[in-house]
Amino acid sequence: MTDIETILTSIASVLNEHDHIPNDLSYSVVELDKEGQHRDVELPVLELKLVRAEKDESRNTTAVGDVTDENENHTGTEHEDWWSAVVYADILTPAGQSPPARAIGTEVRDVLKIYDTSSLDQPLPDPSGEGILSDITSFTRSEISTQNDFSLSHSLRGDRTRLEIDYEDAYTSNELLGDQPFIESVDVGEIDVQD
């Protein structure tokens, strides 16, 4: 099962571990509230901001398997949905910092090229260390822009990369409803059938 939080954590992990990314870069997988609880985040920072995640309504949720108990009795069903997400990878640096936001952004894009399905197409690793995120069906870097913020007392320089991610999310009825009791048989009594 892959969800968007796991994907964002994986992206942050591969960037954090890569030699070409500055060691002092902070990471956030939630949108930063620069005026409130996140105002103490150290710059430079890479903010992975979920812009939109939409279920693909052109495809029905599919039942892909059964959940069984230790006696192989059916206790639930495994389902699968398809999702499309747009994520902004925003790099924020103070004005005058070296390396500048654009240079860090270029390095980030170069690292993410490894996982881009239109480039090297390597699977993102599972951040738990348990293999790969095989449920990602498309991962692309689609747009680059500048995101400067001059409203703060120390102006920020920004670099934005738009990421588009398609993925499958699997879940079981047991996760949503709990284990369902197995019914061995149903006694309906006698049925009088009239002609």
Side-chain angles (χ1 to χ4, degrees):
M1 175 172 83
T2 299
D3 57 39
I4 194 61
E5 289 79 16
T6 303
I7 295 169
L8 297 180
T9 302
S10 177
I11 294 168
S13 296
V14 297
L15 292 170
N16 187 41
E17 294 169 6
H18 203 278
D19 293 339
H20 292 126
I21 305 298
N23 290 334
D24 63 344
L25 186 65
S26 300
Y27 297 88
S28 175
V29 295
V30 297
E31 185 172 357
L32 295 174
D33 171 14
K34 296 165 193 76
E35 305 295 320
Q37 70 183 37
H38 301 116
R39 65 179 168 261
D40 60 344
V41 171
E42 294 288 325
L43 295 176
V45 63
L46 170 66
E47 177 184 22
L48 292 167
K49 180 173 18 183
L50 176 63
V51 177
R52 180 181 71 245
E54 294 177 339
K55 183 174 179 274
D56 183 352
E57 296 296 339
S58 69
R59 301 172 79 171
N60 289 330
T61 298
T62 303
V64 294
D66 292 327
V67 178
T68 58
D69 64 14
E70 62 278 350
N71 297 320
E72 298 300 315
N73 297 315
H74 176 86
T75 61
T77 306
E78 184 177 355
H79 300 274
E80 197 167 72
D81 288 335
W82 292 267
W83 290 82
S84 292
V86 173
V87 173
Y88 288 154
D90 288 345
I91 308 239
L92 299 171
T93 63
Q97 176 175 323
S98 182
R102 178 64 70 184
I104 298 171
T106 299
E107 293 294 343
V108 165
R109 285 185 288 280
D110 285 348
V111 172
L112 294 179
K113 194 181 298 181
I114 297 167
Y115 308 101
D116 192 321
T117 49
S118 61
S119 186
L120 297 178
D121 196 19
Q122 295 297 307
L124 280 165
D126 187 323
S128 70
E130 301 291 322
I132 60 171
L133 297 180
S134 59
D135 294 331
I136 296 174
T137 57
S138 176
F139 180 89
T140 57
R141 302 157 300 128
S142 66
E143 184 179 305
I144 303 165
S145 61
T146 301
Q147 298 296 314
N148 295 326
D149 185 349
F150 301 113
S151 66
L152 301 175
S153 59
H154 297 289
S155 61
L156 296 178
R157 300 296 189 259
D159 181 84
R160 171 174 285 172
T161 303
R162 178 184 167 114
L163 306 174
E164 296 178 6
I165 307 163
D166 295 332
Y167 60 100
E168 299 170 8
D169 183 19
Y171 58 92
T172 66
S173 58
N174 305 56
E175 292 173 70
L176 303 175
L177 304 171
D179 285 341
Q180 302 300 301
F182 173 70
I183 301 173
E184 196 165 319
S185 65
V186 177
D187 183 13
V188 293
E190 291 185 32
I191 300 175
D192 186 20
V193 179
Q194 307 256 334
D195 287 328

